[in-house]
Amino acid sequence: MSQNVFQFIDVQRVDPPKKPLKIRKIQFVEIYESFNKPQVEMQADRCLECGNPYCEWKCPVHNYIPNWLKLAKEGRILEAVELSHQTNSLPEVCGRVCPQDRLCEGACTLNDRFGAVTIGNIEKYITDKAFEMGWKPDLSNVVKTGKRVAVIGAGPAGLACADVLARGGVTPVVFDKYPEIGGLLTFGIPSFKLEKEVMQRRREIFQGMGVEFRLETEVGRDVTFADLLGEFDAVFLGVGTYKYMKGGFANEEAPGVYDALPYLISNANRLLGFEKAQSDYIDFAGKQVVVLGGGDTAMDCVRTAIRQGAAKVICAYRRDEENMPGSKREVKNAREEGVEFMFNLQPIGVELDASGHTVGIKVVSTELGAPDANGRRNPVVIEGSEQVLPADVVVMAFGFQPNPQPWMAEYGIELDNRDRIKAREQAEYPFQTSNPKVFAGGDAVRGSDLVVTAIYEGRKAAEGIMDYLAV
Ligand code: FAD
Ligand code: SF4
């Protein structure tokens, strides 16, 4: 097929259609439809095949984007999926949840005037289509090394590490305290962005590659770290960041005030059938909900509350809309679904009734002051601007910090001053910690970040482990 270099002028960028609002407001299903074959071929054909593709550099795993776009355009899906797995362990996930406007698509040459190539959706299509066609990774030529590695954490970092190890002939055994793989992909990111079946399908693929999962097994409780160090040739830590940042305001521990992640996890457990007791489910049906925060986690909470049937959902953020850290795409989706946004409001205390239940959140107005050392303008409180937003429930979505586990210090695994595990890509063995037998990657090393950066570090750490084991 010949390349029409002016295709991007004739063919506009098209995003996949969204499901109707009446479905989006009540169902936990992905809101974007998939591209069909003609759409993929037309959209992939818009790629200019730049000599020095900026999209590849901006993609944290450095996907061979123009190359698999070309294969997709030519309908060569099985070749495209093989190529895409050379750099990415979970391409169907990244295609769905990466903030493409800040990454690959943000760097596309066509971005300024014509609209970037729809890279993420084509990446998702390639893998989904290949699975539909019965594709599985072929490891028949892999020579087993006899080495075994314990991977702690079945989030994207741990899974990516296991993927590369299995392809290198090293047997990974993945431990996770949750009953399903995926980490935040399964228990944090809601189904309207990433349906649960996507990770369930991946578990089967990984198991077919020889990856062993020991789920509902918490290291430090059900199995000791010492046992893992004794039994395995190396250990990878992909344990994420699970300390919830607090607001530091009055009554934030009162009944009716929730941290974002337990709320999202309770909803995931219900969808997955993992709920142990009815009382474990946090249900906002019929409630007035105020979510505090302006990041992607806040967007996931407001949109979950809408689908649970909340009476009213407000997102209150202490800066203005322009300075929100969350993806613009997700803010737009939330607005469409009925979320009300209130900007330049800082919480100062939860209002309680006589029986101690939440009835509102007291806020003060802010204006943006001078930029700080990172160039970010900090909110400055306007005196005398207090008001109370009525609320039956308040959700704090202020982000996460690492939660070092007690056994880390005992085994010489050093942390930095923000409790992140010290492990560098530039070390002799990439992502080796201060305990030579232990490697680490993902949020536990970087602090809360992205799925695709966790995948990158898990993959690089696997290479470091194989160098260390000399296999
Ligand atoms: P995690 O995904 O947190 O996985 C860590 C795993 O380790 C967990 O499964 C945990 O159970 C397990 N574990 C921890 N300690 C132990 C132990 N002692 N024993 C056994 N198992 C243990 N990123 C995006 O790119 N796009 C998004 O749209 C997006 N949305 C997000 C929405 C929410 C609500 C949140 C919270 C995050 C979101 N992120 C998003 C960020 C992204 O999910 C994380 O950056 C990514 O999952 C980090 O991967 P990880 O493997 O390092 O850690
Ligand atoms: Fe873009 Fe993410 Fe895919 Fe890279 S992994 S090409 S950044 S969607």
Side-chain angles (χ1 to χ4, degrees), residues 260-303:
L261 197 56
Y263 170 55
L264 296 173
I265 291 174
S266 93
N267 200 64
N269 278 334
R270 166 139 302 192
L271 294 175
L272 286 159
F274 292 147
E275 207 170 73
K276 294 209 167 76
Q278 173 81 15
S279 57
D280 291 345
Y281 180 52
I282 305 173
D283 187 3
F284 289 170
K287 303 245 193 277
Q288 288 212 75
V289 182
V290 175
V291 175
L292 305 171
D296 286 336
T297 302
M299 292 315 110
D300 290 344
C301 291
V302 287
R303 297 176 68 202

Coordinates of all heavy atoms in Angstrom, one line a residue, residues 260-303:
A260 N -10.1 8.5 49.1 CA -10.5 8.1 47.8 C -10.3 6.6 47.5 O -11.2 6.0 46.9 CB -9.7 9.0 46.8
L261 N -9.1 6.1 47.8 CA -8.8 4.7 47.3 C -9.7 3.7 48.0 O -10.3 2.8 47.3 CB -7.4 4.4 47.5 CG -6.9 3.2 46.7 CD1 -7.2 3.3 45.2 CD2 -5.4 2.9 46.9
P262 N -9.9 3.7 49.3 CA -10.9 2.7 49.9 C -12.2 2.8 49.2 O -12.9 1.7 49.0 CB -10.9 3.1 51.4 CG -9.6 3.8 51.6 CD -9.3 4.5 50.4
Y263 N -12.7 4.0 48.9 CA -14.0 4.1 48.2 C -14.0 3.4 46.9 O -14.8 2.6 46.5 CB -14.3 5.6 48.1 CG -15.5 5.9 47.2 CD1 -16.7 5.4 47.4 CD2 -15.4 6.8 46.1 CE1 -17.8 5.6 46.6 CE2 -16.4 7.0 45.2 CZ -17.7 6.4 45.5 OH -18.7 6.7 44.7
L264 N -12.9 3.7 46.1 CA -12.8 3.1 44.8 C -12.6 1.6 44.9 O -13.2 0.8 44.1 CB -11.7 3.7 43.9 CG -11.8 5.2 43.6 CD1 -10.6 5.7 43.0 CD2 -13.0 5.4 42.7
I265 N -11.8 1.1 45.9 CA -11.6 -0.3 46.0 C -12.9 -1.0 46.4 O -13.2 -2.1 45.9 CB -10.6 -0.6 47.1 CG1 -9.2 -0.1 46.6 CG2 -10.5 -2.1 47.5 CD1 -8.1 -0.2 47.7
S266 N -13.7 -0.4 47.2 CA -15.0 -1.0 47.6 C -15.9 -1.2 46.4 O -16.6 -2.2 46.3 CB -15.7 -0.2 48.7 OG -16.6 0.7 48.2
N267 N -15.9 -0.2 45.5 CA -16.7 -0.3 44.3 C -16.2 -1.4 43.4 O -16.9 -2.2 42.8 CB -16.7 1.0 43.6 CG -17.9 1.1 42.7 OD1 -19.1 1.1 43.1 ND2 -17.6 1.1 41.4
A268 N -14.8 -1.5 43.3 CA -14.2 -2.6 42.4 C -14.5 -3.9 43.0 O -14.9 -4.9 42.3 CB -12.7 -2.4 42.4
N269 N -14.5 -4.1 44.3 CA -14.7 -5.4 45.0 C -16.2 -5.8 44.7 O -16.4 -7.0 44.4 CB -14.5 -5.3 46.5 CG -13.1 -5.5 46.8 OD1 -12.3 -6.1 46.1 ND2 -12.7 -4.9 48.0
R270 N -17.1 -4.8 44.7 CA -18.5 -5.2 44.4 C -18.6 -5.7 43.0 O -19.2 -6.7 42.7 CB -19.4 -4.0 44.6 CG -20.7 -4.2 44.0 CD -21.9 -3.7 44.8 NE -22.1 -4.2 46.1 CZ -23.2 -4.1 46.8 NH1 -24.2 -3.4 46.3 NH2 -23.4 -4.5 48.0
L271 N -18.0 -5.0 42.0 CA -18.1 -5.4 40.6 C -17.4 -6.7 40.4 O -17.9 -7.5 39.5 CB -17.4 -4.3 39.7 CG -18.0 -2.9 39.7 CD1 -17.2 -2.0 38.9 CD2 -19.4 -3.0 39.1
L272 N -16.4 -7.0 41.1 CA -15.7 -8.3 40.9 C -16.2 -9.4 41.7 O -15.7 -10.6 41.6 CB -14.2 -8.1 41.3 CG -13.4 -7.2 40.3 CD1 -12.1 -6.7 40.9 CD2 -13.0 -8.1 39.1
G273 N -17.2 -9.1 42.6 CA -17.7 -10.2 43.5 C -16.8 -10.5 44.6 O -16.9 -11.6 45.2
F274 N -15.9 -9.6 45.0 CA -14.9 -9.9 46.1 C -15.3 -9.4 47.4 O -14.6 -9.5 48.4 CB -13.5 -9.3 45.8 CG -12.8 -10.0 44.6 CD1 -12.0 -9.3 43.8 CD2 -13.0 -11.4 44.3 CE1 -11.4 -9.9 42.7 CE2 -12.4 -12.0 43.3 CZ -11.5 -11.2 42.4
E275 N -16.5 -8.8 47.5 CA -17.0 -8.2 48.7 C -17.2 -9.2 49.8 O -17.8 -10.2 49.5 CB -18.3 -7.5 48.4 CG -18.7 -6.4 49.2 CD -19.9 -5.8 48.6 OE1 -21.0 -6.4 48.7 OE2 -19.8 -4.7 48.0
K276 N -16.6 -9.0 51.0 CA -16.7 -10.0 52.0 C -18.0 -9.8 52.8 O -18.6 -10.8 53.2 CB -15.5 -10.0 52.9 CG -14.2 -10.4 52.2 CD -13.2 -11.0 53.1 CE -12.1 -11.6 52.3 NZ -11.1 -10.7 51.8
A277 N -18.4 -8.6 53.1 CA -19.6 -8.3 53.8 C -20.3 -7.1 53.1 O -19.7 -6.2 52.6 CB -19.3 -7.9 55.2
Q278 N -21.7 -7.1 53.2 CA -22.4 -6.0 52.6 C -21.9 -4.6 53.1 O -21.9 -3.7 52.4 CB -23.9 -6.2 53.0 CG -24.9 -5.1 52.6 CD -25.3 -5.2 51.1 OE1 -25.1 -6.3 50.5 NE2 -25.8 -4.2 50.6
S279 N -21.5 -4.6 54.4 CA -21.1 -3.3 55.0 C -19.8 -2.8 54.4 O -19.4 -1.7 54.7 CB -21.0 -3.5 56.5 OG -20.1 -4.6 56.8
D280 N -19.1 -3.7 53.7 CA -17.8 -3.2 53.1 C -18.0 -2.3 51.9 O -17.1 -1.6 51.4 CB -17.0 -4.4 52.5 CG -16.5 -5.3 53.7 OD1 -16.5 -4.8 54.8 OD2 -16.1 -6.5 53.4
Y281 N -19.3 -2.3 51.4 CA -19.5 -1.5 50.2 C -19.9 0.0 50.6 O -20.7 0.2 51.4 CB -20.7 -2.1 49.4 CG -21.1 -1.4 48.2 CD1 -20.2 -1.1 47.2 CD2 -22.5 -1.0 48.0 CE1 -20.6 -0.4 46.0 CE2 -22.8 -0.3 46.8 CZ -21.9 0.0 45.9 OH -22.3 0.6 44.7
I282 N -19.1 0.9 50.0 CA -19.4 2.3 50.3 C -20.3 2.8 49.2 O -19.9 2.9 48.0 CB -18.1 3.1 50.3 CG1 -17.1 2.5 51.4 CG2 -18.3 4.6 50.7 CD1 -15.7 3.1 51.4
D283 N -21.5 3.1 49.6 CA -22.6 3.4 48.6 C -23.0 4.9 48.7 O -23.5 5.3 49.8 CB -23.8 2.5 48.9 CG -24.8 2.6 47.8 OD1 -24.6 3.3 46.8 OD2 -25.9 1.9 47.9
F284 N -22.9 5.6 47.6 CA -23.3 7.1 47.7 C -24.6 7.3 47.0 O -25.0 8.4 46.7 CB -22.2 7.9 47.0 CG -20.9 8.0 47.8 CD1 -19.8 8.6 47.2 CD2 -20.8 7.6 49.1 CE1 -18.6 8.7 47.9 CE2 -19.6 7.7 49.8 CZ -18.5 8.3 49.2
A285 N -25.4 6.3 46.8 CA -26.7 6.4 46.1 C -27.6 7.4 47.0 O -27.7 7.3 48.2 CB -27.4 5.1 46.1
G286 N -28.1 8.4 46.3 CA -29.0 9.4 46.9 C -28.3 10.4 47.8 O -29.0 11.3 48.4
K287 N -27.0 10.4 47.8 CA -26.2 11.3 48.7 C -25.8 12.6 48.0 O -25.6 12.6 46.8 CB -25.0 10.6 49.3 CG -25.3 9.3 50.0 CD -24.9 9.5 51.5 CE -24.9 8.2 52.2 NZ -26.1 7.7 52.7
Q288 N -25.6 13.6 48.8 CA -24.9 14.8 48.3 C -23.4 14.6 48.5 O -23.0 14.5 49.7 CB -25.3 16.0 49.1 CG -26.7 16.5 48.8 CD -26.8 18.0 49.0 OE1 -26.4 18.7 48.1 NE2 -27.4 18.5 50.0
V289 N -22.6 14.6 47.5 CA -21.2 14.2 47.6 C -20.3 15.4 47.2 O -20.6 16.1 46.2 CB -20.9 13.0 46.6 CG1 -19.5 12.6 46.7 CG2 -21.9 11.9 46.8
V290 N -19.3 15.6 48.1 CA -18.3 16.6 47.7 C -16.9 15.9 47.7 O -16.5 15.3 48.6 CB -18.2 17.8 48.7 CG1 -17.1 18.7 48.3 CG2 -19.5 18.6 48.6
V291 N -16.3 15.9 46.5 CA -15.0 15.3 46.4 C -14.0 16.5 46.4 O -14.1 17.4 45.6 CB -14.9 14.5 45.1 CG1 -13.5 14.0 44.9 CG2 -15.9 13.3 45.1
L292 N -12.9 16.4 47.2 CA -11.9 17.4 47.3 C -10.7 17.0 46.6 O -10.2 15.8 46.8 CB -11.6 17.6 48.8 CG -12.8 18.0 49.7 CD1 -12.3 17.9 51.2 CD2 -13.3 19.3 49.4
G293 N -10.2 17.8 45.7 CA -9.0 17.4 44.9 C -9.3 17.7 43.4 O -10.4 17.8 43.0
G294 N -8.2 17.8 42.6 CA -8.4 18.1 41.2 C -7.6 17.2 40.3 O -7.4 17.5 39.1
G295 N -7.2 16.0 40.8 CA -6.4 15.1 40.0 C -7.3 14.0 39.4 O -8.5 14.0 39.5
D296 N -6.6 13.0 38.7 CA -7.4 11.9 38.1 C -8.1 11.1 39.1 O -9.2 10.6 38.8 CB -6.4 11.1 37.2 CG -6.0 11.8 36.0 OD1 -6.8 12.7 35.5 OD2 -5.0 11.6 35.4
T297 N -7.6 10.9 40.3 CA -8.2 10.1 41.3 C -9.6 10.8 41.7 O -10.6 10.2 41.9 CB -7.4 9.9 42.6 OG1 -6.1 9.3 42.1 CG2 -8.0 9.1 43.6
A298 N -9.5 12.1 41.8 CA -10.8 12.9 42.1 C -11.8 12.7 41.0 O -13.0 12.4 41.3 CB -10.5 14.4 42.3
M299 N -11.3 12.7 39.8 CA -12.3 12.5 38.6 C -12.9 11.1 38.7 O -14.0 10.9 38.4 CB -11.6 12.6 37.3 CG -11.1 14.0 36.9 SD -12.3 15.3 37.3 CE -11.6 16.1 38.7
D300 N -12.0 10.1 39.1 CA -12.5 8.7 39.2 C -13.6 8.6 40.3 O -14.6 7.9 40.1 CB -11.4 7.7 39.5 CG -10.5 7.6 38.3 OD1 -10.9 8.0 37.2 OD2 -9.3 7.1 38.4
C301 N -13.4 9.4 41.4 CA -14.4 9.3 42.5 C -15.7 10.0 42.1 O -16.8 9.4 42.3 CB -13.8 10.0 43.7 SG -12.5 9.1 44.5
V302 N -15.6 11.2 41.5 CA -16.9 11.9 41.2 C -17.7 11.0 40.2 O -18.9 10.9 40.3 CB -16.7 13.3 40.6 CG1 -16.3 14.2 41.7 CG2 -15.7 13.4 39.5
R303 N -17.0 10.4 39.2 CA -17.7 9.7 38.2 C -18.2 8.4 38.7 O -19.2 7.8 38.2 CB -16.8 9.5 37.0 CG -16.4 10.9 36.3 CD -15.4 10.7 35.2 NE -16.0 10.1 34.1 CZ -15.3 9.5 33.1 NH1 -14.0 9.4 33.2 NH2 -15.9 8.9 32.1

